Amino acid sequence: MDNELNKETAMPEEETENTACEAPAEEACEQATPEEEKPGKSEKKKLKKLESELAEAQKHLAAAEAQAAESNDKYVRLFAEYDNYRKRTQKEKDGIYTEAYADALVQILPVLDNLERAVQYGENPGENENLAKGLDLTLKSFYETLKKMGVCEIEALGKPFDPNLHNAVMHVEDESLGENEVVEVFMKGYIKGDRVLRHAMVKVAN
């Protein structure tokens, strides 16, 4: 009888012991929660740091892109200015060459005039035929050379008067002739391309 009482009395002690063991475990679990939160805060700090670094990198990238665009714009404008300068100087150079070329041709035109007169004189009876033939050949050679150089005689006789090509030094009234018709050429005119080397000196009717 006493033994049974002792057993019953002992039961609450075991329950107490079990309860005592369970309570500290719950407290340990509750205490572990703050320790688990610490890595989360550390990750947030790292994330914020990375976001800050990314924003700074984007800022530097935008500045670099703006500087590159500005440098490219300067290069494009500089290249355009150089190209314009090159074209302008080339045009001026070509213009100087054309002017010098035309001036040289103008200087030799009187020689052509003299040759033409000499040939005309050689056609008279009694003159030296060999000399006349030589002058004629020289004149033909002169014409061929001028043609190769792009020099052409300005058409004048029988053509309407053109102040851009002709220089009227005389005027005649004649009803049998057309209005502003060139009726006589005193001195031939020559042209090279669009450049008039010498205007034709003419007589104009009506």
Side-chain angles (χ1 to χ4, degrees), residues 108-124 132 134-144 146 152-154 185-190 198:
I108 66 174
L109 290 179
V111 179
L112 178 59
D113 296 335
N114 292 331
L115 278 174
E116 289 176 340
R117 294 189 189 99
V119 170
Q120 290 175 359
Y121 295 145
E123 292 174 352
N124 295 329
L135 289 172
D136 187 54
L137 290 174
T138 303
L139 185 60
K140 288 180 180 178
S141 177
F142 210 125
Y143 286 146
E144 290 175 1
L146 289 178
C152 301
E153 181 182 339
I154 295 174
V185 178
F186 299 113
M187 187 169 63
K188 293 179 180 180
Y190 294 90
R198 188 175 73 184

Side-chain angles (χ1 to χ4, degrees), residues 23-50:
E26 291 177 357
E27 291 178 359
C29 292
E30 291 177 357
Q31 291 176 357
T33 302
E35 292 178 357
E36 291 176 357
E37 289 178 356
K38 288 180 181 180
K41 291 180 180 179
S42 177
E43 291 297 328
K44 286 181 180 180
K45 289 181 180 180
K46 289 180 180 180
L47 182 60
K48 287 182 178 179
K49 183 178 180 182
L50 289 174

Side-chain angles (χ1 to χ4, degrees), residues 81-95:
E81 289 175 0
Y82 170 74
D83 190 53
N84 291 334
Y85 168 77
R86 181 182 61 80
K87 290 178 180 178
R88 185 172 62 255
T89 53
Q90 184 63 40
K91 186 176 180 180
E92 291 174 353
K93 182 180 178 181
D94 293 341

Side-chain angles (χ1 to χ4, degrees), residues 15-26:
E15 291 177 357
T16 303
E17 289 177 359
N18 291 336
T19 304
C21 291
E22 289 177 359
E26 291 177 357

